[in-house]
């Protein structure tokens, strides 16, 4: 293979600072290799685009080049999308539109090259990366677990800006393209091939050779790539009805209408990016490519400056920062490698934690239960979750077997000598938790970290029984563990920094987004959830109907309403937790009479089919007998939904601010992540702290003052909010 220069660079070997290199082999294939030096992932940035233009000039002019292969120099990343930080520098929609236009122009040049270019895809091929691959004549993907293709822009509140809304529908059909564009979901190579997104798949070891042969055969005129073939082989598309819809104007109108209806149903109108995407696709299909590209650029520009995108991008950066955060400020602190985990209690939470250890972190896990039946329950919990994955084909039966082999159980503490970290998930009973802590310390090595999954008991109280309290912390998982993305690590003043770092590192291995909070009643998430759920029941006591309260909060953006959530969590559990909060925060969190009366009435919620709602029927309906138990007649003229939602949400937000002010939270970032990933706070609002900034803290304090006058001191604004309102400070200063 002879190496030639790209663009104006006369050197035989490209300097390492470039992201793109180009060399030509003896077959006349130009090898264009993407490799952003010093970065784990290849990402698109304006410099990259300049380099690509240099390469394109070369490919346009050099008559010795017959075909080209575009591949990555990194095994795990083809091109993971545009560098999102680049968007921060854009001042208005026009600038963003121009950025999109320039990206479109470069990819257009690539598409229009006289020679065929084949993308050899291994690793993440996402967003702008997939848009680049779509501009190639054909695509070959390596069958490698790290290879995924998709356009996740919509998850950041954006739309594709480099031709994705135009090329994708033309390549794979409108219905399938919308499925990818509107959800941002990834597809693996085989699936990508079955929907026509890639032409071929092959083992990673022969990827480049397969791509080279494909490129040469295209150069020899062996037929078009997938783009044109889709029309020639309609039978490759499985849904005939969908095809019929797409192929005529009336059918397409129906298809777009249906898609819009689905988007609005899913997003309740809170997320504009899917609607903008739909519009760009529709214009391209109905009015032609030129109009489509123009619409895409304009709508991309609008989406970049949309407050929803700002919040979602903020969330993305927060997650990225948390991935790198060890959980302690001292950068010299090193976490202990956890090679074996012990779990006390194989119930709902313990079973879920054991599953995550074996199936996600791939770490051996030992469950300790009271009796054989308890052990069996824990093991079955893990097996059940693995079976579901095998059924969904996300793992093979053999992989499931290997994962299950990592889980073992005991009714004594045998096997606990070798564990590096124990997570206790037994009943919420301090005496029991004390006993188990002592038992573990008697058998485990002195270096074993002890974490409790308690939802309400302060960790320092649990650690009182410990002979080495510096080893104790909280690891508060959420239910169901295998689905919920958040882990709250709780530290006491005595917790050693390396213990915190160890819990955080393990949490990440378990697939969680981890925040570290200081100890205190309810920690962060349970503490802010308390007044939120309480307020919903105060509204009920005022006569606001059950479903009106729930619908109002869902319209505000929560995935379920607070009374439905109370039924799910368990009214009995909330009643118990409420007592803890009441003893800690007195009047501000006095258990509302509604919760006390319903708990006394034996209503535990969904688990005993008796709560705010009726269970067993086809449709979910409020249980009208609740009003009698509470002693209230539901009003026919409830307050506006927005007022209801804000009263309830403000309780959560105000308490979050108190948590920051009191040092429970390390940062507003953690507060936003905790509320969104742990409690379903609407992501498009950015979290409690971003919401406060966007509403204006002064304005929110004034609202709280008005509510305090009308409903009592539980609305007293958090001191930190008064302070920020006075000084004009923001939680995320720009
Ligand atoms: P669970 O009742 O499903 O499981 C508790 C398990 O502990 C039972 O299987 C029981 O047999 C076992 N157990 C009791 N005594 C034991 C002993 N001496 N040795 C070994 N195992 C023993 O309870 P769940 O829901 O899993 O809760 C466990 C802990 O997690 C509690 O502290 C709870 O507050 C906390 N938590 C619960 C959440 C939830 O949504 N259920 C969420 C977050 C935390």
């Amino acid at each position: 293979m002879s190496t030639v220069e790209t663009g104006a660079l006369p050197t035989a070997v490209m300097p390492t600072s470039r992201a793109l290199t180009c060399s030509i082999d003896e077959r006349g294939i130009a090898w264009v290799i993407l490799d952003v030096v010093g970065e784990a992932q290849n990402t698109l940035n304006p410099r990259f685009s300049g380099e690509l233009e240099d390469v394109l000039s070369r490919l346009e002019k050099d008559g010795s080049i017959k075909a080209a292969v575009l591949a990555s120099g990194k095994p795990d990343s083809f091109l993971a999308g545009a560098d999102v930080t680049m968007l921060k520098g854009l001042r208005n929609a026009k600038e963003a539109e121009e950025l999109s236009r320039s990206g479109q122009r470069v990819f257009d040049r690539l598409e229009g090259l006289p020679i065929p270019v084949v993308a050899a895809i291994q690793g993440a091929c996402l967003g702008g990366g997939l848009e680049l691959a779509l501009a190639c004549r054909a695509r070959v993907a390596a069958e490698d677990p790290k290879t995924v293709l998709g356009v996740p822009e919509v998850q950041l509140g954006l739309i594709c800006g480099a031709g994705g809304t135009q090329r994708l529908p033309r390549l794979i059909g409108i219905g399938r393209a919308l499925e990818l564009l509107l959800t941002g979901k990834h597809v693996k190579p085989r699936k990508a091939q079955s929907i026509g997104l890639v032409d071929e798949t092959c083992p990673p070891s022969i990827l480049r050779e397969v791509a080279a042969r494909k490129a040469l055969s295209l150069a020899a005129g062996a037929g078009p790539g997938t783009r044109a073939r889709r029309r020639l082989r309609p039978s490759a598309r499985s849904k005939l009805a969908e095809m019929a819809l797409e192929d005529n104007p009336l059918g397409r109108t129906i298809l777009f209408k249906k898609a819009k209806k689905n988007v609005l149903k899913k997003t309740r109108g809170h997320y504009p990016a899917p609607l903008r995407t739909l519009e760009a696709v529709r214009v391209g299909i109905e009015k032609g490519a030129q109009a489509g590209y123009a619409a895409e650029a304009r709508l991309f520009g609008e989406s970049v400056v949309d407050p929803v995108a700002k919040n979602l991008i903020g969330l993305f950066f927060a997650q990225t920062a948390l991935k790198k955060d060890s959980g302690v400020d001292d950068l010299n602190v090193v976490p202990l490698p956890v090679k074996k985990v012990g779990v006390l209690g194989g119930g709902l939470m313990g079973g879920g934690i054991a599953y995550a250890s074996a199936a996600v972190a791939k770490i051996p896990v030992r469950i300790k239960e009271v009796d054989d039946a308890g052990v069996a329950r824990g093991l079955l919990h893990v097996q059940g979750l693995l079976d579901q994955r095998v059924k969904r084909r996300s793992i093979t039966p053999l992989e499931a077997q290997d994962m299950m082999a990592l889980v073992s159980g005991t009714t004594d503490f045998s096997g606990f000598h070798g564990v590096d970290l124990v997570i206790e998930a037994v009943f919420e009973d301090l005496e029991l938790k004390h006993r188990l802590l002592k038992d573990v310390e008697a058998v485990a090595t002195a270096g074993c970290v002890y974490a409790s999954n308690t939802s309400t008991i302060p960790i320092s109280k649990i650690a009182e029984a410990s002979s080495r309290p510096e080893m104790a912390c909280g690891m508060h998982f959420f239910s169901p563990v295998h689905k919920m993305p958040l882990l709250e690590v709780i530290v006491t003043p005595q917790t050693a920094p390396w213990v915190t770092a160890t819990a955080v590192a393990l949490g990440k291995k378990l697939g969680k987004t981890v925040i570290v909070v200081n100890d205190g009643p309810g920690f962060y998430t349970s503490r802010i959830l308390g007044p939120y759920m309480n307020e919903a029941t105060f509204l009920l006591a005022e006569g606001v109907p059950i479903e009106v309260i729930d619908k109002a909060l869902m319209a505000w953006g929560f995935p379920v309403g607070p009374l439905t959530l109370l039924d799910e969590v368990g009214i009995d559990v909330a009643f118990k937790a409420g007592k803890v909060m009441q003893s800690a925060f007195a009047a501000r969190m006095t258990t509302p009479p509604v919760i006390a009366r319903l708990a006394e009435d034996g209503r535990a919620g969904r688990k005993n089919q008796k709560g705010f709602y009726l269970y067993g029927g086809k449709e979910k309906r409020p249980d009208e007998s609740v009003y009698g138990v509470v002693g209230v007649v539901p009003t026919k003229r409830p307050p506006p939904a927005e007022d209801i939602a804000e009263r309830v949400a403000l309780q959560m937000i105000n308490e979050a601010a108190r948590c920051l002010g009191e040092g429970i939270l390390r940062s507003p970032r953690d507060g936003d992540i905790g509320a969104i990933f742990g409690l379903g706070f609407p992501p498009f609002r950015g979290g409690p702290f971003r919401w406060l900034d966007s509403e204006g803290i002064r304005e929110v304090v004034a609202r709280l003052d008005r509510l305090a006058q009308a409903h009592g001191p539980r609305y007293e604004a958090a001191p930190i909010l008064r302070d920020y309102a006075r000084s004009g400070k923001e939680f995320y200063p720009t």
Side-chain angles (χ1 to χ4, degrees):
M1 186 185 284
S2 69
T3 310
V4 296
E5 71 274 16
T6 51
L9 287 168
T11 44
V13 180
M14 288 298 101
T16 50
S17 61
R18 292 184 70 101
L20 275 180
T21 55
C22 178
S23 53
I24 301 171
D25 71 11
E26 52 286 347
R27 291 178 289 182
I29 297 175
W31 291 90
V32 182
I33 307 298
L34 303 159
D35 201 344
V36 181
V37 178
E39 299 287 336
Q41 298 263 8
N42 286 325
T43 50
L44 280 173
N45 56 38
R47 226 192 90 190
F48 175 95
S49 154
E51 288 185 31
L52 182 57
E53 296 229 56
D54 288 347
V55 172
L56 294 176
S57 300
R58 176 80 198 179
L59 300 182
E60 277 162 355
K61 285 185 210 136
D62 190 334
S64 70
I65 300 173
K66 289 192 196 129
V69 173
L70 183 62
S72 167
K74 299 186 196 298
D76 293 347
S77 167
F78 174 75
L79 186 55
D83 179 355
V84 188
T85 46
M86 172 171 89
L87 301 178
K88 278 186 176 170
L90 298 169
R91 283 168 303 182
N92 52 47
K94 266 272 154 264
E95 278 187 13
E97 181 176 344
E98 189 36 51
L99 179 76
S100 164
R101 275 299 203 183
S102 67
Q104 288 176 350
R105 275 193 291 270
V106 181
F107 287 6
D108 247 16
R109 251 183 99 186
L110 169 61
E111 188 175 43
L113 282 175
I115 54 152
V117 182
V118 174
I121 301 165
Q122 184 174 2
C125 175
L126 302 170
L130 182 57
E131 290 180 286
L132 175 69
L134 288 171
C136 295
R137 190 84 60 87
R139 288 145 293 281
V140 179
E143 288 154 8
D144 172 286
K146 296 249 167 79
T147 302
V148 285
L149 300 95
V151 269
E153 281 82 346
V154 77
Q155 291 169 353
L156 296 181
L158 302 171
I159 81 162
C160 289
T165 64
Q166 306 304 305
R167 290 194 179 95
L168 201 54
R170 292 199 179 99
L171 181 65
I172 63 172
I174 304 170
R176 283 183 180 144
L178 289 181
E179 213 177 307
L180 296 184
L181 288 163
L182 299 179
T183 61
K185 74 177 181 194
H186 301 168
V187 289
K188 292 182 177 163
R190 289 263 168 93
K191 170 84 180 168
Q193 189 181 16
S194 76
I195 61 173
L197 185 55
V198 302
D199 299 64
E200 285 177 44
T201 62
C202 64
S205 56
I206 55 167
L207 173 68
R208 288 196 182 186
E209 191 45 35
V210 172
R213 286 191 192 171
K214 179 85 191 165
L216 286 176
S217 76
L218 287 172
T226 34
R227 192 181 321 284
R229 225 183 33 225
R230 193 182 74 78
R231 291 231 151 256
L232 298 176
R233 285 199 309 132
S235 61
R237 298 153 68 200
S238 61
K239 293 186 199 158
L240 282 176
E242 182 185 300
M243 193 176 72
L245 272 185
E246 289 183 17
D247 284 349
N248 70 78
L250 184 66
R252 285 198 294 268
T253 308
I254 295 171
L255 197 143
F256 282 117
K257 255 196 177 161
K258 206 172 131 203
K260 187 171 177 180
K261 204 172 141 199
N262 284 345
V263 165
L264 287 173
K265 194 173 158 207
K266 256 195 189 153
T267 64
R268 295 190 206 102
H270 291 308
Y271 294 85
L275 292 176
R276 290 195 173 108
T277 300
L278 209 49
E279 175 66 1
V281 173
R282 193 188 57 77
V283 171
I285 298 291
E286 287 177 0
K287 303 197 172 142
Q290 223 181 338
Y293 283 112
E296 180 186 86
R298 177 178 54 79
L299 292 160
F300 174 81
E302 283 176 18
S303 73
V304 168
V305 294
D306 195 305
V308 170
K310 199 176 145 205
N311 284 335
L312 295 178
I313 291 171
L315 196 59
F316 170 76
F317 284 129
Q319 277 179 282
T320 312
L322 277 173
K323 276 185 195 149
K324 294 182 189 150
D325 189 346
S326 69
V328 292
D329 297 332
D330 184 348
L331 297 177
N332 297 315
V333 172
V334 182
L336 176 87
V338 175
K339 298 200 192 84
K340 187 172 175 189
V341 174
V343 174
L344 305 176
L348 182 71
M349 299 305 288
I353 295 165
Y355 163 81
S357 305
V360 184
K362 315 237 166 43
I363 297 175
V365 55
R366 185 108 173 127
I367 302 173
K368 145 84 173 80
E369 255 291 347
V370 268
D371 50 24
D372 289 344
V375 171
R377 219 172 29 243
L379 296 178
L380 274 174
H381 188 120
V382 181
Q383 186 68 60
L385 291 171
L386 291 173
D387 289 348
Q388 281 174 22
R389 285 187 61 187
V390 171
K391 217 169 156 193
R392 285 201 317 267
R393 295 182 183 210
S394 92
I395 50 172
T396 64
L398 197 64
E399 283 168 329
Q401 236 176 56
D402 288 347
M403 288 168 183
M404 199 60 215
L406 294 171
V407 192
S408 62
T410 173
T411 52
D412 52 27
F413 287 93
S414 68
F416 268 66
H417 182 69
V419 301
D420 302 302
L421 188 146
V422 168
I423 303 172
E424 169 271 303
V426 298
F427 303 133
E428 192 73 337
D429 172 338
L430 182 61
E431 220 174 282
L432 174 65
K433 289 184 193 280
H434 275 168
R435 208 175 67 226
L436 281 164
L437 170 55
K438 285 185 186 149
D439 287 345
V440 169
E441 286 188 356
V443 290
T445 58
C448 176
V449 172
Y450 191 89
S452 174
N453 182 47
T454 173
S455 44
T456 49
I457 306 173
I459 301 302
S460 39
K461 268 209 171 150
I462 295 175
E464 275 168 7
S466 173
S467 59
R468 34 191 203 239
E470 69 281 5
M471 313 291 281
C473 66
M475 285 178 84
H476 181 212
F477 292 84
F478 293 74
S479 174
V481 179
H482 68 284
K483 279 199 182 144
M484 292 294 285
L486 188 72
L487 169 66
E488 198 174 17
V489 166
I490 303 125
V491 299
T492 75
Q494 286 169 294
T495 308
W498 72 264
V499 169
T500 310
T502 302
V504 170
L506 176 65
K508 289 181 198 168
K509 274 199 171 166
L510 296 171
K512 304 299 171 197
T513 296
V514 190
I515 59 168
V516 175
V517 304
N518 277 311
D519 195 20
F523 322 122
Y524 171 60
T525 48
S526 302
R527 177 166 161 186
I528 68 170
L529 186 63
Y532 167 85
M533 295 206 290
N534 285 355
E535 197 59 34
T537 68
F538 283 127
L539 277 155
L540 176 62
E542 289 169 28
V544 183
I546 295 167
E547 72 282 13
V548 171
I549 298 169
D550 273 355
K551 278 187 186 152
L553 271 300
M554 285 175 73
W556 206 74
F558 280 91
V560 294
L563 300 178
T564 298
L565 188 63
L566 262 165
D567 266 4
E568 295 296 328
V569 169
I571 298 170
D572 55 333
V573 173
F575 183 50
K576 250 178 140 180
K579 282 190 188 155
V580 177
M581 304 302 267
Q582 183 175 333
S583 67
F585 302 109
R588 194 154 50 79
M589 287 207 212
T590 307
T591 306
V594 166
I595 295 188
R597 280 192 206 138
L598 292 176
E600 282 155 16
D601 190 44
R603 288 173 190 258
R606 180 188 280 281
K607 67 182 162 218
N608 74 347
Q609 309 271 291
K610 231 179 138 198
F612 290 97
Y613 288 90
L614 290 171
Y615 295 91
K618 265 192 192 154
E619 248 179 65
K620 189 174 139 186
R621 274 186 304 124
D623 184 347
E624 302 284 333
S625 68
V626 165
Y627 301 114
V629 179
V630 176
V632 68
V633 178
T635 174
K636 296 226 160 24
R637 299 165 129 241
E642 181 68 16
D643 292 0
I644 294 173
E646 219 168 83
R647 256 181 75 179
V648 180
L650 267 174
Q651 287 288 357
M652 178 182 276
I653 293 162
N654 194 29
E655 199 61 33
R658 283 182 193 275
C659 288
L660 184 67
E662 292 169 21
I664 294 290
L665 286 171
R666 286 167 78 212
S667 64
R669 172 200 74 186
D670 292 2
D672 285 340
I673 287 277
I676 291 172
F677 290 131
L679 306 175
F681 191 95
F684 70 92
R685 296 190 192 270
F689 294 96
R690 279 194 188 275
W691 184 84
L692 281 161
D693 277 355
S694 65
E695 291 291 299
I697 297 169
R698 216 168 274 158
E699 157 61 23
V700 174
V701 169
R703 264 186 248 171
L704 285 167
D705 285 344
R706 284 196 295 275
L707 286 166
Q709 269 198 339
H711 303 286
R714 66 179 186 276
Y715 277 104
E716 173 58 33
I720 192 174
L721 290 183
R722 291 212 182 278
D723 177 26
Y724 275 45
R726 251 192 316 271
S727 61
K729 273 205 287 188
E730 289 191 322
F731 293 110
Y732 293 93
T734 36

